[in-house]
Amino acid sequence: MTSRVKESFGTPPAPAALAAKVRTLGPSMTRSMQRVAEAVAGDPAGCAALTVTGLAELTGTSEATVVRTARLLGYPGYRDLRLALAGLAAQQQSGRAPAITTDIAVDDPIADVVAKLAYDEQQTLADTAAGLDTAQLGAAVTALATARRTDVYGVGASGLVAQDLTQKLLRIGLVAHAHSDPHLAVTNAVQLRAGDVAIAITHSGSTGDVIEPLRVAFERGATTVAITGRPDGPVSQYADHVLTTSTARESELRPAAMSSRTGQLLVVDCLFVGVAQRTYETAAPALSASYEALAHRHRS
């Protein structure tokens, strides 16, 4: 299998991104790591004052668990996490309003449903933007802008996002295909090579139907990108670039498959705009031509 060396850490998340990282990665952590994450998110000022031993005692875990949690959240060590906690505490003390409860009940009035969903969408967008690694994003944009061909894999709700990305790329004159059928995805991935791009979209990071074609594309030498809410999931093993999304909290009436689309669509728009900027001389005329081709359908 093709072997590629990847950096273990990028730039540590800014303080504003810490809470977003905890919300995004919490469900995939062990229970002991969740206790550490919940503690730092719930009381950043208090935890910033603690040594690694003190935080381990507070959460009933071990020093090793505290360090592993810090690393999973994107910090090289506990010292870096403490600095981020101090920054987050300062931001909270500046007067930012507390988060509202957004659980939707069966008997909620429709006005409350609208307000709660709107808040969730705003929080998801803010969390995704705060946690997005712009170096990884820039590298993915560069690969897309120069690709001979781009294949995008997604099933279910993520399949709709895959279609959205491909139709955007097509409108600026690039060759792109969306694949939701796992068999077609793999048979098309076999045809990829260096200079091509393959993108897998999976909120869970463990959807086999998109991981398999991404693995094939990776082994064929294509540049691979994962758009996922679980950057520690199996899909990242075959991704040259990982773009992490956040999501509103899952509930009975709004499963992750629905709420994850908000963050995914933001990442897709960032990719598209970045590529359009890089290819402006050809993208602008292509966009204009596609608009003119459809204009008559919008005239009354």
Side-chain angles (χ1 to χ4, degrees), residues 42-88:
D43 184 16
C47 291
L50 297 174
T51 64
V52 64
T53 303
L55 183 54
E57 292 176 350
L58 175 69
T59 55
T61 61
S62 65
E63 293 181 12
T65 297
V66 172
V67 173
R68 283 198 299 270
T69 305
R71 291 172 65 86
L72 182 58
L73 291 174
Y75 303 93
Y78 181 62
R79 177 180 177 277
D80 304 275
L81 175 60
R82 285 184 73 182
L83 291 174
L85 290 174
L88 179 58

Side-chain angles (χ1 to χ4, degrees), residues 167 170-173 283-295 298:
Q167 67 89 15
L170 287 168
R171 289 196 68 174
I172 58 174
L287 275 173
S288 178
S290 66
Y291 176 81
E292 290 298 326
L294 296 173
H298 303 294

Side-chain angles (χ1 to χ4, degrees), residues 110-299:
I110 193 64
D112 288 355
V113 171
V114 171
K116 290 179 177 182
L117 286 176
Y119 180 84
D120 263 355
E121 298 284 334
Q122 293 167 6
Q123 189 65 61
T124 298
L125 290 171
D127 286 354
T128 297
L132 196 57
D133 187 325
T134 52
Q136 293 282 304
L137 178 64
V141 165
T142 298
L144 282 168
T146 58
R148 179 186 71 100
R149 160 182 161 185
T150 297
D151 279 13
V152 190
Y153 315 123
V155 296
S158 294
L160 300 175
V161 180
Q163 291 178 28
D164 182 71
L165 175 56
T166 54
Q167 67 89 15
K168 283 180 165 69
L169 295 176
L170 287 168
R171 289 196 68 174
I172 58 174
L174 301 182
V175 178
H177 308 276
H179 299 288
S180 58
D181 182 293
H183 291 175
L184 287 175
V186 171
T187 56
N188 277 270
V190 169
Q191 307 303 322
L192 299 180
R193 59 178 187 263
D196 296 329
V197 173
I199 301 176
I201 305 177
T202 163
H203 173 64
S204 69
S206 57
T207 306
D209 286 343
V210 300
I211 293 176
E212 179 64 10
L214 192 74
R215 178 189 65 78
V216 172
F218 181 87
E219 293 176 352
R220 293 282 170 169
T223 298
T224 52
V225 180
I227 300 175
T228 180
R230 302 287 181 264
D232 57 334
V235 71
S236 298
Q237 179 180 356
Y238 304 109
D240 295 308
H241 309 295
V242 179
L243 305 177
T244 304
T245 61
S246 182
T247 179
R249 283 193 303 147
E250 186 174 4
S251 67
E252 182 181 9
L253 296 177
R254 194 169 190 248
M258 293 173 59
S259 59
S260 63
R261 284 179 302 172
T262 301
Q264 291 172 347
L265 288 170
L266 173 61
V267 173
V268 160
D269 281 351
C270 290
L271 285 171
F272 169 71
V273 172
V275 172
Q277 288 177 316
R278 299 284 183 91
T279 61
Y280 185 76
E281 289 188 2
T282 54
L287 275 173
S288 178
S290 66
Y291 176 81
E292 290 298 326
L294 296 173
H296 72 280
R297 295 180 176 273
H298 303 294
R299 298 191 186 108

